[in-house]
């Protein structure tokens, strides 16, 4: 229901008189968030340049509710932000950059690039920072849409359309790259947002301009942005990838790239991928297994083996890698067993391991347990965890030796670069092996740094341990940072407890619209969870005859329009 205040501001927005505009302008200065937000919305509805310039000029002073209002109506102010970027070189341009980043207006990326060509000094530094932040925001939005199946979330505009349009405009500046003040930023943005199959990107990657390709090579070798590293991996899915992509895989030895490569490396290569990886005859970090392999999550050792088998490493390097894995993974008998397994196809190797797990010989069971990590099946890690409590001492020892390198600190560092299935299995292991894991999580979730609070909460959810630290998550609901609150709300939506529901229900009027939206979604999830629990309890306790009656009664109740109380 519209309040009297909203009605008043809507009326002022519809009036074209000077007096109405003056009243709205004055309301922007009122130090009350709700009034500022209503005034800003009303001014945006007028679609008048002076009104929108006023909002930009007062941006640093606006209440967070008013800034959220601009975020929600970003399309209304987009042209004015562009106007300020193009026609001003002073404070107004700086404020326009701040607004563009705050409202995630990705369409300003080409405009900022154009301005950067004629900028220098502090002005160029501000534009460069805005360019990097908008590129990161756009990449994260595209990544969420792809990984979570989100539809376009910028009102009616399609992220895919924006991506194509922005890449075309950025690519248009490549021809005058050497006259640009930040040439590497342009190329890195293209590799972050683009894909190897896009025409503009294919044209750049096939260029014969040696100076241009030298810059591309440097970015491929040194950029630690997720988008650039993913571009390298994706390039191996197409025929005849640029040799600089292959060189990046051969030469890069930074931990970020190693983790990304192992996390994205296919479980089985198709014909194109196999031809591409077979061109690689050396990988720098695999040449020093004693230094690099201890830094890799044991769950990714399979990926190391697959990568080793997918490329054409010298035999002596393969032996050194196998020696390290065997030495650090179990008893001496692994050497012969691993050599046998590598001569078999994966299905035959898996069958041999599974049959050996059922052997009556404890030593055979222990050996098979020590080989479970080489299986490709999703249940292999679960089998390994279950054998920690085996009645057979040899099997217990083998299982614990396989799992000894897992701890919470390791998972906090790598959970977001590791497949979710593996992380969930690691959470089961931590629950089983570390009695202090929840105390540690409760301590870390209250870290003074906002980024660490958010990361710990996200890690707890990824590990599947979040339901046992619900009180700490509830405490985050009072955090002054809306991003922390929203993260806690999203995770608590998967904690079906009545007190969680009641607390979230009371927060429906949170000051941040994004937090409020997250709360509504969380409440819906909890209601569905409660209903499933209720149905499960009914089915568990009811007699067969009662279950039959329930199955008949429930459709009738639904069709009658009567709600259950």
């Amino acid at each position: 229901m519209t309040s009297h205040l909203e009605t008043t501001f809507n009326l002022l927005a519809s009036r074209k008189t000077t007096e109405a505009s003056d009243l709205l302008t004055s309301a922007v200065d009122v130090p009350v968030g709700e009034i500022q937000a209503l005034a800003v919305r009303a001014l945006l509805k007028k679609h008048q340049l002076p009104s929108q310039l006023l909002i930009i000029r007062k941006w640093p002073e606006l209440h967070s509710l008013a800034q959220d209002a601009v975020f929600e109506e970003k399309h209304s102010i987009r042209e004015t932000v562009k106007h300020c970027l193009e026609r001003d070189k002073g404070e107004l341009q700086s404020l326009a950059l701040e607004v563009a980043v705050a409202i995630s207006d990705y369409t300003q990326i080409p405009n900022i690039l154009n301005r950067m060509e004629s900028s220098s000094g502090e002005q160029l530094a501000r534009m460069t920072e805005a360019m990097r932040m908008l590129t990161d925001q756009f990449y994260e939005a595209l990544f969420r849409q792809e990984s979570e199946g989100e539809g376009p979330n910028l009102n009616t505009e399609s992220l895919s359309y924006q991506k194509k349009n922005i890449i075309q405009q950025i690519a248009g500046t490549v021809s005058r790259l050497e006259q640009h003040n930040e040439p590497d930023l342009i190329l890195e943005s293209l590799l972050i947002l683009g894909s190897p199959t896009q025409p503009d990107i294919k044209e750049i990657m096939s260029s014969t301009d040696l100076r241009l390709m030298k810059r591309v090579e440097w970015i491929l070798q040194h950029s630690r942005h997720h988008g650039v590293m993913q571009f390298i991996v994706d390039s191996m899915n197409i025929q005849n990838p640029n040799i600089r992509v292959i060189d990046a895989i051969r030469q890069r030895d930074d931990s970020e790239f190693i983790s990304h490569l192992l996390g994205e490396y296919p479980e089985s290569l198709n014909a194109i991928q196999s031809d591409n990886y077979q061109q690689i005859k050396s990988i720098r970090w695999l040449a020093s297994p004693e230094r690099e392999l201890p830094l890799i999550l044991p769950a990714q050792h399979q990926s190391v083996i697959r990568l080793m088998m997918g490329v054409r490493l010298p035999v002596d390097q393969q032996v050194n890698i196998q020696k390290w894995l065997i030495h650090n993974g179990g008893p001496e008998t692994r050497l012969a067993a691993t050599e046998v397994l590598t001569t078999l196809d994966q299905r035959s190797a898996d069958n041999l391991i599974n049959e050996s797990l059922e052997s009556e010989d404890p030593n055979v069971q222990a050996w098979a347990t020590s080989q479970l990590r080489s299986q490709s099946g999703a249940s292999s890690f679960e089998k390994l965890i279950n054998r920690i409590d085996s009645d057979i001492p040899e099997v217990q020892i083998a299982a614990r030796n396989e799992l000894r390198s897992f701890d919470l600190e390791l998972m906090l560092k790598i959970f977001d670069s590791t497949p979710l299935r593996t992380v969930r299995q690691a959470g089961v292991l931590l629950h089983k092996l570390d009695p202090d894991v929840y105390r540690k999580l409760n301590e870390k979730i209250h870290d003074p740094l906002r980024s660490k609070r958010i990361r710990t909460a996200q890690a707890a959810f990824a590990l599947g341990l979040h339901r046992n630290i619900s009180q700490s998550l509830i405490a985050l609901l009072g955090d002054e940072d809306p991003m922390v609150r929203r993260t806690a709300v999203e995770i608590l939506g998967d904690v079906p407890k009545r007190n969680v529901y009641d607390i979230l229900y009371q927060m429906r009027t949170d000051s941040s619209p994004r937090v409020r939206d997250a709360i509504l979604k969380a409440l819906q999830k909890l209601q569905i969870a409660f209903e499933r629990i209720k149905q499960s309890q009914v089915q568990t306790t009811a007699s067969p005859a009662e279950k039959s009656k329930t199955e008949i009664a429930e459709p009738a109740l639904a069709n009658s329009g009567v709600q259950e109380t």
Side-chain angles (χ1 to χ4, degrees), residues 426-437:
V428 174
L429 173 63
L430 287 173
H431 172 80
K432 205 175 191 74
L433 294 183
D434 187 355
D436 292 330
V437 65

Side-chain angles (χ1 to χ4, degrees), residues 236-498:
M236 300 300 281
N237 301 333
I238 64 174
Q239 290 183 331
N240 302 317
N242 190 287
I243 186 62
R244 293 164 182 83
V245 169
I246 294 176
D247 285 343
I249 296 176
R250 288 196 308 107
Q251 298 173 10
R252 289 191 63 160
D253 58 3
D254 52 291
S255 58
E256 292 87 351
F257 181 75
I258 293 172
S259 178
H260 190 89
L261 176 62
L262 293 177
E264 297 295 326
Y265 192 81
E267 292 192 6
S268 60
L269 300 177
N270 59 35
I272 293 175
Q273 292 168 336
S274 180
D275 288 343
N276 291 336
Y277 280 102
Q278 282 289 300
Q279 298 181 50
I280 300 175
K281 298 181 180 180
S282 66
I283 294 180
R284 178 176 294 171
W285 61 272
L286 280 178
S288 305
E290 295 83 4
R291 185 185 69 212
E292 300 293 345
L293 291 183
L295 304 177
I296 295 172
L297 178 69
Q300 289 188 320
H301 284 173
Q302 277 191 335
S303 296
V304 175
I305 296 172
R306 289 199 300 271
L307 177 62
M308 182 179 67
M309 299 302 292
V311 300
R312 299 175 62 186
L313 297 181
V315 175
D316 59 336
Q317 280 193 25
Q318 294 187 43
V319 171
N320 287 337
I321 294 168
Q322 290 187 42
K323 281 183 178 179
W324 188 94
L325 292 170
I326 292 165
H327 177 76
N328 292 276
E332 294 294 332
T333 54
R334 286 187 178 183
L335 178 57
T338 303
E339 288 175 348
V340 171
L341 288 176
T342 56
T343 64
L344 301 175
D345 62 87
Q346 189 65 57
R347 179 177 297 179
S348 299
D350 289 349
N351 288 338
L352 175 59
I353 293 171
N354 289 327
E355 290 173 4
S356 300
L357 288 171
E358 304 300 325
S359 171
E360 295 181 359
D361 186 338
N363 292 319
V364 174
Q365 281 198 43
W367 172 84
T369 299
S370 70
Q371 299 299 317
L372 277 171
R373 285 213 315 255
S374 66
Q375 282 189 290
S376 59
S379 63
S380 61
F381 197 72
E382 181 180 356
K383 293 176 184 176
L384 195 52
I385 293 173
N386 290 338
R387 277 160 177 75
I388 292 174
D389 298 324
S390 171
D391 294 330
I392 303 173
E394 293 89 338
V395 173
Q396 278 192 26
I397 293 171
R400 291 181 182 276
N401 284 338
E402 289 293 304
L403 300 170
R404 63 188 173 188
S405 56
F406 279 86
D407 59 38
L408 180 60
E409 290 296 334
L410 177 63
M411 294 310 303
L412 286 173
K413 292 178 182 177
I414 63 173
F415 78 91
D416 54 354
S417 60
T418 304
L420 180 59
R421 183 182 65 188
T422 303
V423 177
R424 283 294 167 96
Q425 291 173 331
V428 174
L429 173 63
L430 287 173
H431 172 80
K432 205 175 191 74
L433 294 183
D434 187 355
D436 292 330
V437 65
Y438 297 111
R439 178 186 60 77
K440 295 173 183 176
L441 282 171
N442 284 322
E443 290 177 355
K444 291 180 178 297
I445 209 167
H446 296 296
D447 193 279
L449 290 179
R450 161 205 169 191
S451 59
K452 289 190 177 181
R453 296 197 298 276
I454 292 175
R455 187 170 181 83
T456 301
Q458 292 172 337
F461 177 76
L463 289 163
L465 305 177
H466 55 294
R467 296 187 178 183
N468 289 328
I469 60 166
S470 59
Q471 289 304 311
S472 291
L473 291 169
I474 289 172
L476 292 185
L477 298 176
D479 198 288
E480 63 180 14
D481 191 301
M483 180 63 75
V484 176
R485 296 201 303 276
R486 188 174 73 172
T487 301
V489 168
E490 291 171 345
I491 296 173
L492 285 170
D494 193 57
V495 182
K497 296 181 180 179
R498 177 55 60 182

Side-chain angles (χ1 to χ4, degrees), residues 32-307:
V32 178
E34 183 182 4
I35 292 177
Q36 278 193 20
L38 290 170
V40 165
R41 288 183 191 278
L43 287 171
L44 290 174
K45 287 179 181 178
K46 285 181 169 293
H47 301 288
Q48 296 176 348
L49 180 61
S51 299
Q52 297 190 359
L53 286 174
L54 172 71
I55 293 172
I56 293 174
R57 286 193 175 97
K58 289 185 174 292
W59 182 260
E61 306 162 22
L62 289 182
H63 191 278
S64 60
L65 289 178
Q67 293 184 348
D68 287 341
V70 179
F71 178 88
E72 294 168 4
E73 303 291 338
K74 67 177 69 177
H75 301 292
S76 300
I77 202 171
R78 176 172 290 163
E79 286 302 316
T80 304
V81 172
K82 179 181 178 182
H83 171 88
C84 295
L85 292 175
E86 292 177 344
R87 303 192 181 186
D88 191 271
K89 293 186 178 180
E91 183 182 3
L92 191 58
Q93 186 186 73
S94 298
L95 290 171
L97 286 171
E98 187 177 343
V99 172
V101 172
I103 66 176
S104 300
D105 188 1
Y106 317 127
T107 63
Q108 302 299 342
I109 291 175
N111 302 326
I112 294 173
L113 271 178
N114 290 334
R115 295 306 97 203
M116 289 172 65
E117 289 190 61
S118 58
S119 301
S120 61
E122 187 176 339
Q123 182 189 34
L124 176 61
R126 288 195 298 268
M127 288 193 168
T128 301
E129 179 64 15
M131 174 71 181
R132 292 188 189 281
M133 294 179 70
L134 282 172
T135 300
D136 286 346
Q137 290 176 359
F138 194 20
Y139 177 79
E140 289 171 4
L142 292 167
F143 183 77
R144 285 195 303 270
Q145 184 187 43
E146 180 179 349
S147 61
E148 301 174 9
E150 288 186 5
N153 57 6
L154 299 179
N155 295 337
T156 59
E157 292 192 10
S158 164
L159 280 177
S160 299
Y161 173 79
Q162 286 195 56
K163 174 182 175 181
K164 179 180 178 181
N165 186 44
I166 289 174
I167 288 176
Q168 286 178 342
Q169 294 187 61
I170 298 177
T173 67
V174 172
S175 60
R176 53 185 188 276
L177 195 67
E178 295 307 322
Q179 285 74 50
H180 205 283
N181 289 319
E182 289 285 346
D184 290 342
L185 178 61
I186 295 176
L187 290 175
E188 185 178 34
S189 299
L190 282 170
L191 297 182
I192 289 170
L193 299 176
S195 68
T197 57
Q198 287 181 285
D200 295 301
I201 305 299
K202 290 172 69 175
E203 182 178 350
I204 291 171
M205 296 303 293
S206 61
S207 173
T208 57
D209 185 335
L210 295 180
R211 185 181 295 183
L212 170 65
M213 296 316 297
K214 194 70 176 177
R215 293 188 181 278
V216 170
E217 180 180 2
W218 191 92
I219 293 168
L220 293 174
Q221 290 280 356
H222 296 92
S223 175
R224 299 190 179 186
H225 194 287
H226 184 280
V228 174
M229 294 190 292
Q230 188 60 44
F231 180 89
I232 294 172
V233 176
D234 289 343
S235 295
M236 300 300 281
N237 301 333
I238 64 174
Q239 290 183 331
N240 302 317
N242 190 287
I243 186 62
R244 293 164 182 83
V245 169
I246 294 176
D247 285 343
I249 296 176
R250 288 196 308 107
Q251 298 173 10
R252 289 191 63 160
D253 58 3
D254 52 291
S255 58
E256 292 87 351
F257 181 75
I258 293 172
S259 178
H260 190 89
L261 176 62
L262 293 177
E264 297 295 326
Y265 192 81
E267 292 192 6
S268 60
L269 300 177
N270 59 35
I272 293 175
Q273 292 168 336
S274 180
D275 288 343
N276 291 336
Y277 280 102
Q278 282 289 300
Q279 298 181 50
I280 300 175
K281 298 181 180 180
S282 66
I283 294 180
R284 178 176 294 171
W285 61 272
L286 280 178
S288 305
E290 295 83 4
R291 185 185 69 212
E292 300 293 345
L293 291 183
L295 304 177
I296 295 172
L297 178 69
Q300 289 188 320
H301 284 173
Q302 277 191 335
S303 296
V304 175
I305 296 172
R306 289 199 300 271
L307 177 62

Side-chain angles (χ1 to χ4, degrees), residues 65 477 482 485 506-513 515-516 519:
L65 289 178
L477 298 176
R485 296 201 303 276
Q506 294 170 11
M507 285 184 62
R508 298 189 325 280
T509 58
D510 189 275
S511 59
S512 168
V515 175
R516 293 198 299 271
I519 289 171

